[in-house]
Amino acid sequence: MKRLLLLGGGHSHVEVIRRLGLQPPRDTRIVLASPDRYTPYSGMLPGFVAGHYDFHGCHIDLERLCKTAGVEFRECHAVGIDPAANRVDCSDGSALDFDVLSINIGSTPAAHDVPGALDHAIRVKPVSTFINTWNSILEAGKHDGAPLRIAVVGGGAGGMELALAMHFRMLAGNRTAAIHLFTDTPTILPSHSSGVRRIFERVLEKRGIAVHPRSKIIKIERGVLFPESGEPFHAEHIVWATAASAPGWIAASGIQTDERGFVAVNDALQSLSHPRIFAAGDIAGMVNHPRPKSGVYAVRQGPPLAENLQRALSGKPLIAYTPQKIALALISTGDKYAVAVYGVIVLEGKWVWRWKDYIDRRFVAAYRADAR
Ligand SMILES: Cc1cc2nc3c(=O)[nH]c(=O)nc-3n(C[C@H](O)[C@H](O)[C@H](O)COP(=O)(O)OP(=O)(O)OC[C@H]3O[C@@H](n4cnc5c(N)ncnc54)[C@H](O)[C@@H]3O)c2cc1C
């Protein structure tokens, strides 16, 4: 009996599980290892923060999905891989063996190089921790009602969407909140066109969200951010939504990584150094096709990953996969309004939000055990 270990219930693995359930590989025990039973669909996280979705509306129940697909669900927060021994080590001291391993554990905002960030800022990932903290901020606000100052660090689409969503939720709850967005770049959304930036600059200004460009945060203390230049800034809550980073234990395990510490994979999503190991989503760095860390690519990698895991188990040649060059980005403004960006095409409106809402709900619904 062969052992296929799926590490992390990310956007690629939910599709892998669905497909393996429909076409189970012969003589194979499949295990999904995940720290949480519920995995979030991150495109809906800003909508959750804004109050448009409840917890179950934007999460997939991995345990149920596994049960339907004949996959064993194991609670495990991986802290290391021993590729020579074909073993994954979990934080509770247990270990999981594999013949073929697939990694889809996502990423976390880079915070290790900023003193105090891990202790005094709320990282947006792991999402489960962020959601608990956000719920407690909202709960505390019900009782004291005092005005809040929230600083969001990270001027990319994720940080900005969160800032707008928080602002919307605070207003909806009749709370006064001053939201400040910090970015080390000269503008918000540095990887988007000036047209997209202008739309969001307009929205942020209208909402009274203060943007602090060229403000690299170099240290955090409890309730205080220290920009490289300028005065320390005080805030009751500091949300950390900077660029994606990989956990250090991936590189420490001896698996070849790209220059940012993500698993270096070929066009078959297979590790360059360890052919029995595959990776997809944010944690994978496709060496021939570098792409931004975005859920769209993780979702698209699901089907070719499923195919190649089947092939690896049966010793067949792997298929090559090329990710699309441009992907549709649907960025919300917190108030059921969104902007669609596809290459040079930029559209905005309430209808764009309804479109995004439809796509996002459909994705999550596809992995509800009762949907099939
Ligand atoms: C606020 C915000 C909004 C975003 N909005 C969008 C959007 O609208 N569209 C878009 O395309 N992208 C969006 N992104 C980017 C998107 O979140 C990521 O690109 C996407 O989630 C990556 O998917 P994944 O499958 O690689 O991993 P994830 O979806 O992050 O899933 C990883 C899974 O692995 C598990 N895991 C983590 N560590 C371990 C471990 N050590 N051991 C075992 N399991 C582990 C986690 O619990 C989780 O279930 C957004 C990001 C943020 C922060």
Side-chain angles (χ1 to χ4, degrees), residues 298-324:
V299 168
R300 293 290 180 93
Q301 287 170 348
L305 177 64
E307 176 67 28
N308 278 340
L309 292 175
Q310 292 266 22
R311 285 170 176 260
L313 287 164
S314 55
K316 289 191 189 145
L318 304 179
I319 54 157
Y321 160 74
T322 309
Q324 75 240 64

PDB file of all heavy atoms in Angstrom, residues 298-324:
ATOM      1  N   ALA A 298      -3.219  29.285  -7.305  1.00  0.00           N
ATOM      2  CA  ALA A 298      -3.350  28.085  -6.465  1.00  0.00           C
ATOM      3  C   ALA A 298      -4.534  27.241  -6.940  1.00  0.00           C
ATOM      4  O   ALA A 298      -4.446  26.016  -7.056  1.00  0.00           O
ATOM      5  CB  ALA A 298      -3.522  28.486  -5.002  1.00  0.00           C
ATOM      6  N   VAL A 299      -5.648  27.911  -7.246  1.00  0.00           N
ATOM      7  CA  VAL A 299      -6.851  27.200  -7.700  1.00  0.00           C
ATOM      8  C   VAL A 299      -6.561  26.479  -9.020  1.00  0.00           C
ATOM      9  O   VAL A 299      -6.866  25.293  -9.189  1.00  0.00           O
ATOM     10  CB  VAL A 299      -8.030  28.197  -7.863  1.00  0.00           C
ATOM     11  CG1 VAL A 299      -9.190  27.554  -8.607  1.00  0.00           C
ATOM     12  CG2 VAL A 299      -8.481  28.726  -6.506  1.00  0.00           C
ATOM     13  N   ARG A 300      -5.920  27.191  -9.954  1.00  0.00           N
ATOM     14  CA  ARG A 300      -5.659  26.614 -11.284  1.00  0.00           C
ATOM     15  C   ARG A 300      -4.676  25.444 -11.233  1.00  0.00           C
ATOM     16  O   ARG A 300      -4.645  24.607 -12.130  1.00  0.00           O
ATOM     17  CB  ARG A 300      -5.116  27.695 -12.224  1.00  0.00           C
ATOM     18  CG  ARG A 300      -6.122  28.775 -12.568  1.00  0.00           C
ATOM     19  CD  ARG A 300      -7.219  28.188 -13.465  1.00  0.00           C
ATOM     20  NE  ARG A 300      -8.208  29.203 -13.802  1.00  0.00           N
ATOM     21  CZ  ARG A 300      -8.162  29.954 -14.890  1.00  0.00           C
ATOM     22  NH1 ARG A 300      -7.190  29.799 -15.758  1.00  0.00           N
ATOM     23  NH2 ARG A 300      -9.101  30.844 -15.107  1.00  0.00           N
ATOM     24  N   GLN A 301      -3.835  25.426 -10.195  1.00  0.00           N
ATOM     25  CA  GLN A 301      -2.847  24.332 -10.110  1.00  0.00           C
ATOM     26  C   GLN A 301      -3.461  23.034  -9.592  1.00  0.00           C
ATOM     27  O   GLN A 301      -2.836  21.978  -9.690  1.00  0.00           O
ATOM     28  CB  GLN A 301      -1.675  24.760  -9.212  1.00  0.00           C
ATOM     29  CG  GLN A 301      -0.767  25.781  -9.899  1.00  0.00           C
ATOM     30  CD  GLN A 301       0.244  26.397  -8.958  1.00  0.00           C
ATOM     31  OE1 GLN A 301       0.161  26.239  -7.744  1.00  0.00           O
ATOM     32  NE2 GLN A 301       1.204  27.113  -9.507  1.00  0.00           N
ATOM     33  N   GLY A 302      -4.680  23.107  -9.052  1.00  0.00           N
ATOM     34  CA  GLY A 302      -5.328  21.913  -8.491  1.00  0.00           C
ATOM     35  C   GLY A 302      -5.420  20.758  -9.485  1.00  0.00           C
ATOM     36  O   GLY A 302      -4.897  19.653  -9.221  1.00  0.00           O
ATOM     37  N   PRO A 303      -6.053  20.965 -10.666  1.00  0.00           N
ATOM     38  CA  PRO A 303      -6.208  19.837 -11.608  1.00  0.00           C
ATOM     39  C   PRO A 303      -4.876  19.237 -12.087  1.00  0.00           C
ATOM     40  O   PRO A 303      -4.718  18.008 -12.023  1.00  0.00           O
ATOM     41  CB  PRO A 303      -7.038  20.439 -12.753  1.00  0.00           C
ATOM     42  CG  PRO A 303      -7.780  21.580 -12.110  1.00  0.00           C
ATOM     43  CD  PRO A 303      -6.852  22.145 -11.065  1.00  0.00           C
ATOM     44  N   PRO A 304      -3.876  20.036 -12.550  1.00  0.00           N
ATOM     45  CA  PRO A 304      -2.619  19.384 -12.965  1.00  0.00           C
ATOM     46  C   PRO A 304      -1.894  18.709 -11.808  1.00  0.00           C
ATOM     47  O   PRO A 304      -1.246  17.675 -12.003  1.00  0.00           O
ATOM     48  CB  PRO A 304      -1.771  20.531 -13.552  1.00  0.00           C
ATOM     49  CG  PRO A 304      -2.390  21.789 -13.090  1.00  0.00           C
ATOM     50  CD  PRO A 304      -3.832  21.489 -12.849  1.00  0.00           C
ATOM     51  N   LEU A 305      -2.043  19.259 -10.597  1.00  0.00           N
ATOM     52  CA  LEU A 305      -1.398  18.616  -9.446  1.00  0.00           C
ATOM     53  C   LEU A 305      -2.039  17.253  -9.190  1.00  0.00           C
ATOM     54  O   LEU A 305      -1.342  16.252  -8.991  1.00  0.00           O
ATOM     55  CB  LEU A 305      -1.521  19.516  -8.205  1.00  0.00           C
ATOM     56  CG  LEU A 305      -0.955  18.935  -6.907  1.00  0.00           C
ATOM     57  CD1 LEU A 305       0.557  18.738  -7.002  1.00  0.00           C
ATOM     58  CD2 LEU A 305      -1.280  19.843  -5.708  1.00  0.00           C
ATOM     59  N   ALA A 306      -3.383  17.203  -9.230  1.00  0.00           N
ATOM     60  CA  ALA A 306      -4.086  15.927  -9.013  1.00  0.00           C
ATOM     61  C   ALA A 306      -3.618  14.889 -10.040  1.00  0.00           C
ATOM     62  O   ALA A 306      -3.336  13.733  -9.710  1.00  0.00           O
ATOM     63  CB  ALA A 306      -5.595  16.141  -9.105  1.00  0.00           C
ATOM     64  N   GLU A 307      -3.532  15.317 -11.285  1.00  0.00           N
ATOM     65  CA  GLU A 307      -3.119  14.413 -12.366  1.00  0.00           C
ATOM     66  C   GLU A 307      -1.695  13.888 -12.112  1.00  0.00           C
ATOM     67  O   GLU A 307      -1.428  12.687 -12.211  1.00  0.00           O
ATOM     68  CB  GLU A 307      -3.197  15.181 -13.701  1.00  0.00           C
ATOM     69  CG  GLU A 307      -2.720  14.411 -14.913  1.00  0.00           C
ATOM     70  CD  GLU A 307      -3.623  13.228 -15.268  1.00  0.00           C
ATOM     71  OE1 GLU A 307      -4.835  13.291 -14.968  1.00  0.00           O
ATOM     72  OE2 GLU A 307      -3.097  12.233 -15.820  1.00  0.00           O
ATOM     73  N   ASN A 308      -0.802  14.807 -11.728  1.00  0.00           N
ATOM     74  CA  ASN A 308       0.594  14.389 -11.544  1.00  0.00           C
ATOM     75  C   ASN A 308       0.795  13.541 -10.295  1.00  0.00           C
ATOM     76  O   ASN A 308       1.680  12.679 -10.265  1.00  0.00           O
ATOM     77  CB  ASN A 308       1.521  15.609 -11.558  1.00  0.00           C
ATOM     78  CG  ASN A 308       1.836  16.017 -12.986  1.00  0.00           C
ATOM     79  OD1 ASN A 308       1.695  15.215 -13.908  1.00  0.00           O
ATOM     80  ND2 ASN A 308       2.248  17.267 -13.173  1.00  0.00           N
ATOM     81  N   LEU A 309      -0.022  13.757  -9.279  1.00  0.00           N
ATOM     82  CA  LEU A 309       0.091  12.889  -8.093  1.00  0.00           C
ATOM     83  C   LEU A 309      -0.334  11.466  -8.467  1.00  0.00           C
ATOM     84  O   LEU A 309       0.310  10.490  -8.079  1.00  0.00           O
ATOM     85  CB  LEU A 309      -0.752  13.449  -6.940  1.00  0.00           C
ATOM     86  CG  LEU A 309      -0.243  14.776  -6.347  1.00  0.00           C
ATOM     87  CD1 LEU A 309      -1.205  15.311  -5.294  1.00  0.00           C
ATOM     88  CD2 LEU A 309       1.152  14.619  -5.739  1.00  0.00           C
ATOM     89  N   GLN A 310      -1.420  11.366  -9.247  1.00  0.00           N
ATOM     90  CA  GLN A 310      -1.866  10.043  -9.731  1.00  0.00           C
ATOM     91  C   GLN A 310      -0.751   9.380 -10.526  1.00  0.00           C
ATOM     92  O   GLN A 310      -0.443   8.200 -10.363  1.00  0.00           O
ATOM     93  CB  GLN A 310      -3.082  10.198 -10.656  1.00  0.00           C
ATOM     94  CG  GLN A 310      -4.361  10.668  -9.987  1.00  0.00           C
ATOM     95  CD  GLN A 310      -5.251   9.503  -9.578  1.00  0.00           C
ATOM     96  OE1 GLN A 310      -4.771   8.382  -9.417  1.00  0.00           O
ATOM     97  NE2 GLN A 310      -6.536   9.752  -9.356  1.00  0.00           N
ATOM     98  N   ARG A 311      -0.119  10.171 -11.412  1.00  0.00           N
ATOM     99  CA  ARG A 311       0.932   9.630 -12.285  1.00  0.00           C
ATOM    100  C   ARG A 311       2.162   9.236 -11.469  1.00  0.00           C
ATOM    101  O   ARG A 311       2.778   8.208 -11.734  1.00  0.00           O
ATOM    102  CB  ARG A 311       1.311  10.656 -13.354  1.00  0.00           C
ATOM    103  CG  ARG A 311       0.254  10.755 -14.439  1.00  0.00           C
ATOM    104  CD  ARG A 311       0.492  11.929 -15.352  1.00  0.00           C
ATOM    105  NE  ARG A 311      -0.491  11.900 -16.418  1.00  0.00           N
ATOM    106  CZ  ARG A 311      -0.269  11.442 -17.646  1.00  0.00           C
ATOM    107  NH1 ARG A 311       0.939  11.035 -17.975  1.00  0.00           N
ATOM    108  NH2 ARG A 311      -1.221  11.401 -18.549  1.00  0.00           N
ATOM    109  N   ALA A 312       2.523  10.059 -10.492  1.00  0.00           N
ATOM    110  CA  ALA A 312       3.699   9.741  -9.665  1.00  0.00           C
ATOM    111  C   ALA A 312       3.470   8.436  -8.902  1.00  0.00           C
ATOM    112  O   ALA A 312       4.379   7.612  -8.769  1.00  0.00           O
ATOM    113  CB  ALA A 312       3.977  10.882  -8.696  1.00  0.00           C
ATOM    114  N   LEU A 313       2.222   8.231  -8.439  1.00  0.00           N
ATOM    115  CA  LEU A 313       1.923   7.013  -7.677  1.00  0.00           C
ATOM    116  C   LEU A 313       1.996   5.770  -8.558  1.00  0.00           C
ATOM    117  O   LEU A 313       2.348   4.685  -8.102  1.00  0.00           O
ATOM    118  CB  LEU A 313       0.522   7.119  -7.048  1.00  0.00           C
ATOM    119  CG  LEU A 313       0.407   8.080  -5.862  1.00  0.00           C
ATOM    120  CD1 LEU A 313      -1.052   8.422  -5.576  1.00  0.00           C
ATOM    121  CD2 LEU A 313       1.066   7.492  -4.608  1.00  0.00           C
ATOM    122  N   SER A 314       1.649   5.942  -9.855  1.00  0.00           N
ATOM    123  CA  SER A 314       1.642   4.752 -10.720  1.00  0.00           C
ATOM    124  C   SER A 314       2.878   4.698 -11.625  1.00  0.00           C
ATOM    125  O   SER A 314       2.914   3.896 -12.569  1.00  0.00           O
ATOM    126  CB  SER A 314       0.349   4.708 -11.534  1.00  0.00           C
ATOM    127  OG  SER A 314       0.205   5.907 -12.245  1.00  0.00           O
ATOM    128  N   GLY A 315       3.838   5.595 -11.394  1.00  0.00           N
ATOM    129  CA  GLY A 315       5.094   5.543 -12.146  1.00  0.00           C
ATOM    130  C   GLY A 315       4.980   5.998 -13.586  1.00  0.00           C
ATOM    131  O   GLY A 315       5.826   5.662 -14.422  1.00  0.00           O
ATOM    132  N   LYS A 316       3.932   6.770 -13.908  1.00  0.00           N
ATOM    133  CA  LYS A 316       3.770   7.255 -15.296  1.00  0.00           C
ATOM    134  C   LYS A 316       4.478   8.593 -15.471  1.00  0.00           C
ATOM    135  O   LYS A 316       4.673   9.330 -14.485  1.00  0.00           O
ATOM    136  CB  LYS A 316       2.276   7.447 -15.600  1.00  0.00           C
ATOM    137  CG  LYS A 316       1.504   6.176 -15.721  1.00  0.00           C
ATOM    138  CD  LYS A 316       0.134   6.488 -16.284  1.00  0.00           C
ATOM    139  CE  LYS A 316      -0.758   5.281 -16.212  1.00  0.00           C
ATOM    140  NZ  LYS A 316      -2.139   5.620 -15.956  1.00  0.00           N
ATOM    141  N   PRO A 317       4.811   8.986 -16.727  1.00  0.00           N
ATOM    142  CA  PRO A 317       5.445  10.291 -16.938  1.00  0.00           C
ATOM    143  C   PRO A 317       4.509  11.433 -16.530  1.00  0.00           C
ATOM    144  O   PRO A 317       3.289  11.329 -16.700  1.00  0.00           O
ATOM    145  CB  PRO A 317       5.710  10.334 -18.449  1.00  0.00           C
ATOM    146  CG  PRO A 317       5.271   9.040 -18.999  1.00  0.00           C
ATOM    147  CD  PRO A 317       4.618   8.208 -17.951  1.00  0.00           C
ATOM    148  N   LEU A 318       5.089  12.494 -16.009  1.00  0.00           N
ATOM    149  CA  LEU A 318       4.287  13.612 -15.513  1.00  0.00           C
ATOM    150  C   LEU A 318       3.917  14.546 -16.660  1.00  0.00           C
ATOM    151  O   LEU A 318       4.601  14.578 -17.684  1.00  0.00           O
ATOM    152  CB  LEU A 318       5.080  14.387 -14.454  1.00  0.00           C
ATOM    153  CG  LEU A 318       5.586  13.555 -13.272  1.00  0.00           C
ATOM    154  CD1 LEU A 318       6.388  14.429 -12.311  1.00  0.00           C
ATOM    155  CD2 LEU A 318       4.426  12.889 -12.522  1.00  0.00           C
ATOM    156  N   ILE A 319       2.836  15.329 -16.454  1.00  0.00           N
ATOM    157  CA  ILE A 319       2.450  16.308 -17.481  1.00  0.00           C
ATOM    158  C   ILE A 319       2.963  17.696 -17.071  1.00  0.00           C
ATOM    159  O   ILE A 319       3.097  17.987 -15.885  1.00  0.00           O
ATOM    160  CB  ILE A 319       0.915  16.361 -17.694  1.00  0.00           C
ATOM    161  CG1 ILE A 319       0.181  16.597 -16.356  1.00  0.00           C
ATOM    162  CG2 ILE A 319       0.397  15.121 -18.375  1.00  0.00           C
ATOM    163  CD1 ILE A 319      -1.187  17.199 -16.494  1.00  0.00           C
ATOM    164  N   ALA A 320       3.248  18.514 -18.084  1.00  0.00           N
ATOM    165  CA  ALA A 320       3.725  19.879 -17.805  1.00  0.00           C
ATOM    166  C   ALA A 320       2.527  20.827 -17.755  1.00  0.00           C
ATOM    167  O   ALA A 320       1.523  20.621 -18.440  1.00  0.00           O
ATOM    168  CB  ALA A 320       4.691  20.320 -18.883  1.00  0.00           C
ATOM    169  N   TYR A 321       2.649  21.843 -16.926  1.00  0.00           N
ATOM    170  CA  TYR A 321       1.563  22.813 -16.760  1.00  0.00           C
ATOM    171  C   TYR A 321       2.146  24.220 -16.871  1.00  0.00           C
ATOM    172  O   TYR A 321       3.190  24.518 -16.280  1.00  0.00           O
ATOM    173  CB  TYR A 321       0.920  22.584 -15.386  1.00  0.00           C
ATOM    174  CG  TYR A 321       0.128  23.757 -14.879  1.00  0.00           C
ATOM    175  CD1 TYR A 321      -1.118  24.061 -15.423  1.00  0.00           C
ATOM    176  CD2 TYR A 321       0.621  24.564 -13.859  1.00  0.00           C
ATOM    177  CE1 TYR A 321      -1.840  25.152 -14.962  1.00  0.00           C
ATOM    178  CE2 TYR A 321      -0.103  25.649 -13.392  1.00  0.00           C
ATOM    179  CZ  TYR A 321      -1.332  25.935 -13.950  1.00  0.00           C
ATOM    180  OH  TYR A 321      -2.028  27.016 -13.501  1.00  0.00           O
ATOM    181  N   THR A 322       1.485  25.071 -17.633  1.00  0.00           N
ATOM    182  CA  THR A 322       1.925  26.471 -17.737  1.00  0.00           C
ATOM    183  C   THR A 322       0.825  27.367 -17.176  1.00  0.00           C
ATOM    184  O   THR A 322      -0.299  27.354 -17.702  1.00  0.00           O
ATOM    185  CB  THR A 322       2.167  26.868 -19.218  1.00  0.00           C
ATOM    186  OG1 THR A 322       3.014  25.888 -19.796  1.00  0.00           O
ATOM    187  CG2 THR A 322       2.817  28.240 -19.321  1.00  0.00           C
ATOM    188  N   PRO A 323       1.116  28.132 -16.141  1.00  0.00           N
ATOM    189  CA  PRO A 323       0.071  29.004 -15.600  1.00  0.00           C
ATOM    190  C   PRO A 323      -0.237  30.153 -16.565  1.00  0.00           C
ATOM    191  O   PRO A 323       0.626  30.549 -17.343  1.00  0.00           O
ATOM    192  CB  PRO A 323       0.693  29.544 -14.302  1.00  0.00           C
ATOM    193  CG  PRO A 323       2.154  29.361 -14.443  1.00  0.00           C
ATOM    194  CD  PRO A 323       2.390  28.239 -15.406  1.00  0.00           C
ATOM    195  N   GLN A 324      -1.461  30.673 -16.475  1.00  0.00           N
ATOM    196  CA  GLN A 324      -1.828  31.786 -17.353  1.00  0.00           C
ATOM    197  C   GLN A 324      -0.943  32.995 -17.040  1.00  0.00           C
ATOM    198  O   GLN A 324      -0.476  33.141 -15.913  1.00  0.00           O
ATOM    199  CB  GLN A 324      -3.310  32.140 -17.179  1.00  0.00           C
ATOM    200  CG  GLN A 324      -3.637  32.886 -15.903  1.00  0.00           C
ATOM    201  CD  GLN A 324      -4.631  32.152 -15.010  1.00  0.00           C
ATOM    202  OE1 GLN A 324      -4.360  31.065 -14.505  1.00  0.00           O
ATOM    203  NE2 GLN A 324      -5.764  32.762 -14.787  1.00  0.00           N
TER     204      GLN A 324
END
